Amino acid sequence: MPKALLLENLHPQARAILETAGFDVVTRTGALDESELVDALDGVHLLGIRSKTHVTAEVLAQAPDLVAIGAYCIGTNQIDLRAAASLGVAAFNAPFSNTRSVVEIAIADIIALTRRLTVFDKEMHAGTWNKSATGAHEVRGRTLGIIGYGNIGTQLSVLAENLGMSVVFYDAAEKLALGNARRAATLEELLAVSDVVTLHVDGRPGNAGFFGASQIAAMKPGSILLNLSRGFVVDPAAVRDAIVSGHLSGAAIDVFPVEPKRKGDPFESELCGLPNVILTPHTGGSTEEAQESIGQFVSNKVRDYLSTGSTTLSVNLPNVALDQPPGVHRLAFLHRNVPGVLADVNATLAEHGVNIEGQLLATRGELGYVVTDAGSPVSDDVVEALRAQPEAVRLRLLS
């Protein structure tokens, strides 16, 4: 029975799907540090995490039984994907399942900050009736600048236009503008015209420190900043200085450079206590609907990989879409992508009298993935001969 370890309070659907598929599932509520994770992965074939648990090359090197990692979130920068691939460990994420939840909290933040609802709320709870329109605005007619025009940015673009906002976006890659949104040629152009700037960039190392004091200084006086992407993208000290000086009229921050590992742990930030600043505990994608969808999506992906070899939407292995036809014995062979491997595989199979009924090959960078269906059982001699090939990374026999 394959064993799965699920960390960080994943939705019950994640466990239910894996248990139905025959996994022995162990769940833990919090994240684990490196040494804890090494110990916990003994005998584990499948690891499920969110954003707090870091799967380093050192962890992977000490987890020989690990076959797949499910990141039950959008980001995968907490996983050493290259090291995982080199050891034949597939990684999957949920690139679409919580985009709507992030978009909705962005819309909520934009309206709340533009209307200064946080200030009114605090004063009312303190017993002060301060009815005033000063500093409160409609979002209609204002300009939203979206940095990162991917799955979240494009959805946000459409909804913001429906609210009457003008949308300008900036992305390093070429992207199709939706609706009446227009592309800014440079980041500076976007910052100069936007009343609200929202960041939706990915977790690649090059984005660390991407948005600091100079970028904030280039924003319009009185504008608003949102960061719902990655904690290391924005300099919180620069945000604080801009709020205190009045250059920014508000900010909403959902992600932080250092975040507590477990629910209930203390949280500290230089942004605490500032006026018209919304702080949320990395819950941009944390709605019940999104977490259920993520639990279903990622668990189905890792289940299918272990049972059929399908790597569709894997973030680190060549992508091959597979089902499991009855009566077929399948060899899933991950190897270094060099010339001649497929010929050597087929020569080995022919030498041992294995008849090939179907075969697929895909490559991705340094890796190749050849999946072969045989019409008869595959002997241990065949498996050992393939594993002995110098280009072999990982071979799995799926029957």
Side-chain angles (χ1 to χ4, degrees), residues 37-38 40-45 47 55-67 87 89 394:
L37 187 57
V38 168
L41 285 176
D42 183 29
V44 169
H45 304 90
L47 172 65
V55 186
T56 63
E58 291 74 16
V59 168
L60 291 162
Q62 299 178 71
D65 296 313
L66 191 63
V67 177
L87 295 170
V89 178
R394 189 166 214 155

Side-chain angles (χ1 to χ4, degrees), residues 29 37 76 116 131 135 142 154 166 213 216 218 236 238 285 295 310 345 347-348 357 367-368 374:
T29 57
L37 187 57
T76 56
R116 298 185 64 80
K131 183 178 180 180
R142 299 177 80 77
T154 50
S166 299
I216 292 173
S310 179
V345 167
T348 300
E357 294 199 352
L367 291 177

